[in-house]
Amino acid sequence: MGLRDLVRPLESIEYLDPFADWLGGTVTRLTGSGTVKSALSGTWLGHPLHPVLTDVPIGLFTAAGVLDLVGGRRADDATNALTVFGLLAVAPTAVSGLSDWADTVGPERRLGLVHALANAGGSSLFAAAVLNRRAGNRALAHVFNLAALGALAMGGYLGGHLVFGRGIGVDHNVFEEAPTEWTRVARDEEIAADTPVRVSAAGFGMLLYRDRGHIHAIASRCNHAGGPLEEGEVDDELCVTCPWHGSRFRLADGSVTRGPATAPQPSFAVRVSDGNIEVRLREV
């Protein structure tokens, strides 16, 4: 039995759902779908923000944990300082993680909640280690320190599984092969004006939108969580909003103008030949 086999039961703990749904709804209301959400998601960074931030507390906590074990009494002040800085770094890391987690459902939401609880427990144990170390209870501080490292490892593994095992935060278009040669997708008369239409090019789904005679084409699957962009609304600025989590993309080039998406949508050149609409991936 591998570690993945131990994780799977956590994805099926349905009694977590009521609390997870309440917490997820609360986070969604607090972060909204505008500037705050985009900032926490990492839209400005072009990469999910949470994984970047996790390196800071993990590094500080690990250094503090090792120093506590091998540094002796003379290293207590340095160990405490590293731990306190790690606890301070937890706050922005947790907030960005909660923002991402609020967009999940089902097994991913349950596992993400356990991941968050493990990290919260580890942070509490590190704080207890600091308090006992300052009080002179070094033996008890060692116990809390070891337990905290265990919780940190568990939380880190679950976070890795969410990304690499469940695909959370991964660009949903990255493994799809978009056509690089001119490919027919529809007849010209089939695409009405001002109406998003989903078509397929060699199995790759894309959204076509005709505006004043010009046809725009971007991938129809939102890269954030796979939402159907053809069901979203197109505004006066020719941007489409994903109906699932509110990511907003420019139809002209697929660029992301609002998160939680962090990557642009694949964009396509369009031409009409003999009454057929043909597309191919734009050169980057």
Side-chain angles (χ1 to χ4, degrees), residues 114-125:
V114 178
H115 163 71
L117 292 174
N119 288 332
S123 298
S124 299
L125 291 167

Side-chain angles (χ1 to χ4, degrees), residues 87 122-133 140-141 144-145:
L87 292 171
S123 298
S124 299
L125 291 167
F126 275 118
V130 170
L131 294 175
N132 279 275
R133 201 177 291 115
L140 190 55
F144 281 123
N145 177 68

Side-chain angles (χ1 to χ4, degrees), residues 40 49-50 53 87-97:
L40 293 174
L49 178 62
H50 181 63
L53 295 181
L87 292 171
L88 292 174
V90 163
T93 305
V95 171
S96 65

